[in-house]
């Protein structure tokens, strides 16, 4: 089978720079140029064949035409193309964000969740990233710090250098810091919940609705502790968090929210 070159889809999120053009040869008229999706079958940014008889066809369309056998036997178990590879140029800090698990994302977003891996291609002196909490944090404290802008005080800040590799399981709070160029190898998903963005306007994900914040927190905690995820547990967490500013916005999110289970419990509280 011949090898094909691919043309990436590019993104111009507010935190990007120009290094993907100047240092990595990505051709794009975007300014800033934040991401290049160099291997993608995702509908939000498919790669396109750059040569061959099917030049101009998206990779997704080409695979539909060529059949699953074009990917080899390792991909036969997957209903969809399993990977997405990006180059990321972070001139500024990215938001503090989290990606849901497969179970949560399939139920609420209609696509897979997102576990990813970062390979640091370049790093300015003093560059760092955030990777999870640096200590145990309760839901109440977590929500309070999202509201008052002090969330980074309880996150693990990691200095990085070129060649470093990080594995980011779904449910892990994380953020790429300013001055980093990263190759991201991830699941074929575009579900990002932006938890805290330093007061900026402009999206590199979906602003997380508070009821999703609670359910993701409780589900991921249950995976770590073995605690049964019951309605009583959810209700207890939500009642404890109810006085925190972040959760004062729940009422306007609940109407039309996909998180019907949490919405129903919240309504039991008389809100």
């Amino acid at each position: 089978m011949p090898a094909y070159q691919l043309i990436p889809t590019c993104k111009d999120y507010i935190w990007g720079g120009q290094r993907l053009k100047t240092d990595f040869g990505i051709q794009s008229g975007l300014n800033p140029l934040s991401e290049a999706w160099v291997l993608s079958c995702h509908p939000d940014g498919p790669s396109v064949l750059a040569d061959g008889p099917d030049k101009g066809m998206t990779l997704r369309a080409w695979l539909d035409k060529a059949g699953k056998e074009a990917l080899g036997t390792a991909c036969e178990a997957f209903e969809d193309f399993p990977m997405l590879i990006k180059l990321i140029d972070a001139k500024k800090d990215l938001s503090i964000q989290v990606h849901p698990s497969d179970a949560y994302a399939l139920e609420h977003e209609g696509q897979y969740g997102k576990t990813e891996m970062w390979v640091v291609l370049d790093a300015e002196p003093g560059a760092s990233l955030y990777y999870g909490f640096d200590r145990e944090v309760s839901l109440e404290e977590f929500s309070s710090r999202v509201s008052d802008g002090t969330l980074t005080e309880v996150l693990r800040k990691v200095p990085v250098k070129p060649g470093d590799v990080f594995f980011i399981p779904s449910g892990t709070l994380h953020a790429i810091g300013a001055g980093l160029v990263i190759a991201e190898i991830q699941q074929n998903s575009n579900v990002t919940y932006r938890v805290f963005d330093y007061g900026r306007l402009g999206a590199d994900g979906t602003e997380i609705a508070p009821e999703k914040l609670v359910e993701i927190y409780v589900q991921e905690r249950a995976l770590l502790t073995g605690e049964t995820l019951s309605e009583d547990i959810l209700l207890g967490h939500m009642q404890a968090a109810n006085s925190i500013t972040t959760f004062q916005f729940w009422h306007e999110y609940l109407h039309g929210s996909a998180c019907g289970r949490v919405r129903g419990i919240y309504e039991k509280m008389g809100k």
Side-chain angles (χ1 to χ4, degrees):
M1 180 179 294
Y4 293 99
Q5 290 187 323
L6 296 175
I7 300 170
T9 288
C10 296
K11 305 292 183 178
D12 60 350
Y13 304 128
I14 59 175
W15 40 260
Q18 294 295 320
R19 295 194 61 194
L20 297 185
K21 298 180 188 179
T22 59
D23 298 3
F24 293 86
I26 301 298
Q27 297 181 16
S28 172
L30 295 180
N31 185 19
L33 175 56
S34 310
E35 295 183 353
W37 295 20
V38 296
L39 178 64
S40 172
C41 282
H42 198 281
D44 291 345
S47 303
V48 174
L49 271 65
D51 51 20
D54 295 311
K55 179 180 178 180
M57 184 179 290
T58 66
L59 180 58
R60 173 74 276 166
W62 183 83
L63 287 173
D64 289 341
K65 174 183 175 181
K68 280 191 172 182
E69 59 270 18
L71 297 176
T73 56
C75 283
E76 289 179 353
F78 296 96
E79 182 177 348
D80 295 316
F81 189 75
M83 296 178 63
L84 197 163
I85 300 178
K86 303 175 179 177
L87 299 180
I88 298 174
D89 174 16
K91 183 177 181 179
K92 303 175 183 177
D93 293 327
L94 275 67
S95 63
I96 309 297
Q97 56 189 240
V98 65
H99 307 299
S101 64
D102 284 344
Y104 186 91
L106 286 169
E107 179 179 356
H108 299 295
E109 304 291 351
Q111 59 181 300
Y112 287 105
K114 185 174 171 182
T115 288
E116 60 194 11
M117 185 180 75
W118 295 337
V119 179
V120 179
L121 302 178
D122 200 10
E124 294 179 1
S128 63
L129 55 81
Y130 289 112
Y131 185 97
F133 294 112
D134 64 2
R135 59 173 173 81
E136 186 173 350
V137 175
S138 69
L139 176 61
E140 294 86 351
E141 180 182 4
F142 176 36
S143 303
S144 179
R145 288 185 177 278
V146 170
S147 296
D148 65 21
T150 62
L151 181 60
T152 58
E153 293 180 9
V154 293
L155 298 182
R156 183 183 295 112
K157 188 174 184 179
V158 183
V160 295
K161 63 184 184 302
D164 285 347
V165 177
F166 297 87
F167 179 68
I168 317 291
S170 63
T172 304
L173 277 178
H174 62 276
I176 298 171
L180 293 176
V181 179
I182 282 178
E184 180 174 288
I185 300 90
Q186 58 160 90
Q187 286 181 270
N188 184 12
S189 172
N190 194 31
V191 181
T192 295
Y193 297 138
R194 201 170 69 248
V195 176
F196 178 68
D197 200 16
Y198 312 98
R200 294 185 300 203
L201 297 177
D204 58 1
T206 301
E207 192 75 51
I208 190 167
E211 74 276 6
K212 288 186 178 182
L213 188 71
V214 173
E215 187 159 345
I216 290 172
Y217 176 91
V218 176
Q219 287 195 17
E220 297 302 333
R221 184 171 182 271
L223 291 175
L224 293 174
T225 66
E227 181 181 44
T228 302
L229 182 60
S230 67
E231 288 199 358
D232 289 341
I233 290 173
L234 277 173
L235 180 59
H237 281 299
M238 295 165 76
Q239 286 173 328
N242 187 49
S243 62
I244 299 169
T245 303
T246 301
F247 293 86
Q248 294 175 359
F249 295 97
W250 268 7
H251 183 71
E252 57 191 81
Y253 279 111
L254 293 174
H255 300 289
S257 166
C259 302
R261 183 169 175 223
V262 174
R263 180 171 68 248
I265 298 170
Y266 191 72
E267 288 170 348
K268 291 179 183 178
M269 298 166 60
K271 305 299 179 183

